[in-house]
């Protein structure tokens, strides 16, 4: 699986959009970009994933650059409950290996 | 609620002992994954079972073993425990190997403390 690079931590004001960047310059053509988050000591939670096109669901939007070497997760209206560690993961969609979690970005939503 | 159930939630034991952690996957999910999360190592993939068969191994120690039963629940056995085994152990499930979307559903974890 391709490696990812994320900032260690970020702050965002409550009610504003939180934009979390991820670099994955060695991504292969058959690898998806996944985002998970982990709220303190709870089990990781799936947020969204994509291959080439931008994606949106009820939780977030995923913007993938045209060359697929980077992506941005957008939480449109951050709340205090969005404070968590956010993991960007790239891997093939049907691989047998588990997801490889890096250190992620600790997003802190400020009141 | 992810639908994945892990027991026990907390476990305190002594060095040298053996423990078993249990995971019930979401209804219909055939794949079970085990992860270890310690303060200094982050989330580490241990092992993956699909429909009773081992599919992939990660950083799992020889003192650890796992199995998936015909009813699809899984157990992670940790033996000859050391202080460094203290961690959160997560189980995750998905419908297929990696899931159609790669989405894994995680349980709330079992916190193991070795004294």
């Amino acid at each position: 699986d391709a490696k990812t690079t994320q900032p260690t931590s970020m702050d965002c004001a409550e009610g504003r959009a939180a934009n979390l960047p991820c670099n994955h310059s060695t991504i292969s053509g058959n690898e998806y970009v996944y985002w998970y988050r982990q709220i303190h000591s709870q089990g990781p939670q799936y947020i969204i994933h994509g291959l080439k096109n931008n994606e949106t669901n009820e939780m977030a939007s995923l913007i993938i650059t045209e060359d697929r070497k980077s992506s941005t997760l957008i939480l449109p209206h951050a709340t205090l409950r969005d404070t968590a560690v956010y993991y960007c993961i790239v891997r093939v969609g049907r691989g047998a290996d588990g997801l490889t979690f890096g250190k992620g970005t600790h997003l802190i939503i400020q009141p | 609620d992810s639908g994945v159930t892990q027991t026990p939630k907390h476990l305190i034991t002594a060095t040298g002992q053996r423990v078993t952690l249990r995971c019930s996957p979401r209804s219909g999910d055939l794949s079970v994954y085990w992860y270890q999360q310690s303060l200094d190592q982050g989330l580490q993939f241990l092992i993956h079972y699909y429909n009773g068969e081992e599919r992939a191994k990660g950083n799992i120690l020889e003192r650890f073993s796992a199995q998936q039963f015909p009813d699809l629940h899984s157990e992670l056995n940790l033996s000859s425990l050391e202080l460094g085994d203290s961690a959160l152990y997560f189980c995750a499930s998905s419908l297929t190997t990696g899931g159609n979307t790669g989405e894994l559903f995680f349980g709330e974890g079992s916190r193991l403390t070795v004294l």
Side-chain angles (χ1 to χ4, degrees):
Chain A
D1 294 342
K3 290 186 178 178
T4 62
T5 303
Q6 299 179 251
T8 303
S9 65
M10 293 181 62
D11 286 352
C12 179
E14 189 177 17
R16 304 296 295 269
N19 296 277
L20 292 90
C22 179
N23 285 321
H24 33 79
S25 59
T26 60
I27 191 170
S28 300
N30 62 346
E31 288 183 313
Y32 290 72
V33 179
Y34 297 91
W35 284 84
Y36 280 73
R37 73 179 182 183
Q38 186 176 24
I39 297 170
H40 181 62
S41 294
Q42 295 181 20
Q45 177 190 24
Y46 166 83
I47 300 173
I48 199 167
H49 79 284
L51 183 62
K52 296 180 186 177
N53 301 320
N54 298 337
E55 302 288 344
T56 296
N57 63 19
E58 66 278 5
M59 288 183 67
S61 295
L62 174 60
I63 308 298
I64 302 174
T65 58
E66 193 169 342
D67 63 7
R68 303 211 320 125
K69 292 185 177 182
S70 66
S71 60
T72 301
L73 178 74
I74 301 172
L75 307 178
H77 305 288
T79 70
L80 297 178
R81 286 178 294 182
D82 292 321
T83 292
V85 177
Y86 287 76
Y87 298 98
C88 170
I89 302 163
V90 293
R91 58 160 282 172
V92 295
R94 293 174 183 265
D97 289 350
L99 297 168
T100 300
F101 289 81
K103 296 195 181 298
T105 296
H106 188 195
L107 175 68
I108 300 171
I109 306 301
Q110 305 282 2
Chain B
D1 181 4
S2 67
V4 177
T5 303
Q6 291 188 246
T7 58
K9 286 186 168 41
H10 301 276
L11 189 56
I12 301 174
T13 189
T15 55
Q17 295 298 305
R18 173 190 170 95
V19 298
T20 297
L21 309 180
R22 181 187 170 102
C23 170
S24 294
R26 291 188 322 154
S27 177
D29 282 359
L30 300 176
S31 271
V32 170
Y33 301 78
W34 286 98
Y35 283 81
Q36 178 193 54
Q37 186 172 36
S38 55
L39 282 175
D40 57 346
Q41 291 291 326
L43 271 161
Q44 299 285 317
F45 166 64
L46 296 178
I47 199 163
H48 167 208
Y49 275 82
Y50 173 75
N51 203 20
E53 293 189 4
E54 181 185 305
R55 291 301 304 270
K57 267 188 175 179
N59 301 317
I60 189 166
L61 300 172
E62 286 191 8
R63 300 184 285 109
F64 296 0
S65 65
Q67 54 184 327
Q68 186 179 27
F69 295 86
D71 67 353
L72 301 177
H73 90 272
S74 178
E75 293 180 356
L76 179 67
N77 300 297
L78 316 175
S79 62
S80 303
L81 285 168
E82 302 174 0
L83 295 178
D85 297 327
S86 295
L88 267 169
Y89 290 85
F90 289 105
C91 167
S93 74
S94 68
L95 178 60
T96 62
T97 56
N100 289 328
T101 64
E103 179 179 355
L104 303 188
F105 297 87
F106 284 80
E108 290 305 307
S110 293
R111 182 176 292 280
L112 173 65
T113 302
V114 182
L115 301 177

